[in-house]
Amino acid sequence: MSDNIKMLVIGCGSIGMRHLRILAERKDVEVAAFDSRIELSREVAGLGGDIRFFSSLDAALDWEPKIAVVAAPNEVHCELTLRCFAAGVHVLCEKPLADTIDNGCRMVEAARDSGMRLAVGYSERYRPSVQYMEELVKSGSMGNLIGGRAMVGTYNTLLCAKTDARSRIFGSLIIDYTHELDLMRLFFGDVEDVICKANKPGKKDIGADPSLAAMLLVFKGGAVVSVHMDYVQHPQRRCLELYGDVQTAELDMQTDFIRLYDCNRPGYRVQAFDPVRDDRFRAEHQDIIDAVTDGTPPRVTGEDGLRVLEIAERAISQIRNGLG
């Protein structure tokens, strides 16, 4: 009998296909895909490797996978995760955790009650440059963190989308970029207050509601952080900044270059990293495998995903109720 770990990818959209392609590289994993759209079986077969394809979830779970990667639409994350837990399958759920806070709570509670592992796919946590900044914070070399800034914007996200969900679903901009919210929680801890303003600027062939959002996050430790998101800029721009009273760090997430400024001397030094996106998914896969086989918590837990979802929902609620 093979000792390989069976992993099932649920949902064969663009992210699901990426998971399948990368998992198929591994010699210690048996990979299968589930999608009710049976016509996708040919595309899955084209990824290479020996990937099984199921068009029935019951049949896929009867295959007895150890871990499932839920990469289906947000509104079915809860249902699919609960089905997996009931079948004794651990879950790596793509971000966001769920479509509503209530469903996110159901997923977290079900993981706790069943003893199953629930990880959330915030793959930016596995970016080496982000981990370098995390170590700077933990080591105390930046001093006291007093604030920061996250900025992400691109029109290409709408142009390259395979569905119209982003232009159709209210608040999709904020849900799309919850990576930024997760990273700020990583560095600053829990959020105490959220202020969000948004609008629909610019003349574009494709738009969203809103197409630009600006948040102010106040953390329980006192730090104040600004987060900018938009579907307007062309080409893409993305950055992450942390302000300490000893050192400031600025990460350009397009090039993976960090500029480090010391408060007691002029100039800056540069730390360069290799921005290979697939490597983040490889590390994410290894993390959930380790969590399942060693019994250690995953790097991004269901509770982490729930806290991020709460921030996003507070921002969307302000916009929806005319407060943004």
Side-chain angles (χ1 to χ4, degrees):
M1 180 179 293
S2 173
D3 293 330
N4 288 353
I5 295 175
K6 289 184 175 182
M7 294 186 66
L8 171 68
V9 176
I10 299 177
C12 297
S14 59
I15 295 298
M17 289 292 187
R18 181 181 291 270
H19 281 292
L20 286 167
R21 174 174 58 79
I22 294 171
L23 284 170
E25 299 172 353
R26 300 184 63 126
K27 304 302 183 184
D28 59 343
V29 170
E30 291 183 51
V31 189
F34 158 69
D35 199 297
S36 59
R37 297 167 293 180
I38 195 168
E39 65 271 16
L40 292 175
S41 61
R42 182 173 297 179
E43 188 174 347
V44 169
L47 295 175
D50 187 17
I51 304 176
R52 297 171 184 253
F53 184 87
F54 296 98
S55 58
S56 160
L57 182 57
D58 287 337
L61 294 177
D62 285 344
W63 180 62
E64 297 184 344
K66 188 76 171 178
I67 300 168
V69 179
V70 174
N74 302 340
E75 59 268 23
V76 293
H77 282 188
C78 180
E79 173 191 349
L80 292 170
T81 297
L82 297 187
R83 286 281 305 276
C84 288
F85 287 164
V89 181
H90 304 273
V91 171
L92 166 60
C93 182
E94 267 298 339
K95 62 89 181 171
L97 176 64
D99 58 334
T100 67
I101 298 296
D102 286 346
N103 279 339
C105 287
R106 290 175 63 199
M107 295 165 69
V108 170
E109 290 169 1
R112 182 176 61 244
D113 293 344
S114 64
M116 307 305 294
R117 292 297 182 191
L118 173 59
V120 186
Y122 283 109
S123 57
E124 295 298 340
R125 291 266 199 120
Y126 301 89
R127 186 190 284 252
S129 54
V130 167
Q131 294 179 344
Y132 180 85
M133 293 177 76
E134 183 182 8
E135 185 55 38
L136 287 177
V137 173
K138 288 182 176 179
S139 69
S141 62
M142 297 190 69
N144 296 313
L145 286 188
I146 60 172
R149 179 174 77 103
M151 188 280 290
V152 58
T154 176
Y155 183 52
N156 281 345
T157 299
L158 294 179
L159 290 177
C160 297
K162 292 186 176 181
T163 72
D164 65 346
R166 288 183 174 94
S167 58
R168 176 174 46 83
I169 298 174
F170 184 85
S172 62
L173 168 70
I174 293 170
I175 294 298
D176 214 24
Y177 293 142
T178 50
H179 278 295
E180 272 58 33
L181 305 181
D182 175 65
L183 291 178
M184 286 309 186
R185 277 199 72 251
L186 172 66
F187 297 124
F188 293 96
D190 287 328
V191 169
E192 186 171 78
D193 195 15
V194 179
I195 301 169
C196 185
K197 301 291 182 180
N199 61 11
K200 297 176 64 176
K203 294 181 179 179
K204 300 283 187 178
D205 292 334
I206 305 173
D209 190 8
S211 52
L212 183 148
M215 291 185 211
L216 197 65
L217 306 181
V218 182
F219 289 82
K220 291 182 178 179
V224 178
V225 168
S226 65
V227 180
H228 171 97
M229 309 167 171
D230 74 67
Y231 281 146
V232 180
Q233 296 184 66
H234 188 91
Q236 178 166 315
R237 296 175 63 229
R238 195 175 192 185
C239 69
L240 178 67
E241 300 174 356
L242 304 179
Y243 312 140
D245 56 10
V246 173
Q247 195 175 63
T248 289
E250 297 179 356
L251 168 61
D252 182 331
M253 298 177 77
Q254 295 301 105
T255 62
D256 251 14
F257 276 58
I258 296 176
R259 287 186 176 185
L260 295 167
Y261 299 83
D262 291 328
C263 296
N264 59 357
R265 62 175 180 230
Y268 59 87
R269 59 188 176 91
V270 174
Q271 191 78 27
F273 298 85
D274 191 0
V276 179
R277 188 181 183 194
D278 282 356
D279 283 349
R280 297 168 223 162
F281 286 83
R282 294 184 181 104
E284 186 178 56
H285 295 155
Q286 189 60 51
D287 182 61
I288 185 62
I289 291 172
D290 290 344
V292 169
T293 57
D294 300 339
T296 55
R299 181 165 172 77
V300 191
T301 65
E303 288 82 357
D304 289 325
L306 187 58
R307 298 288 86 79
V308 173
L309 187 59
E310 288 170 349
I311 298 170
E313 284 298 307
R314 287 173 69 179
I316 293 171
S317 178
Q318 288 185 23
I319 301 167
R320 181 181 285 115
N321 294 326
L323 303 177

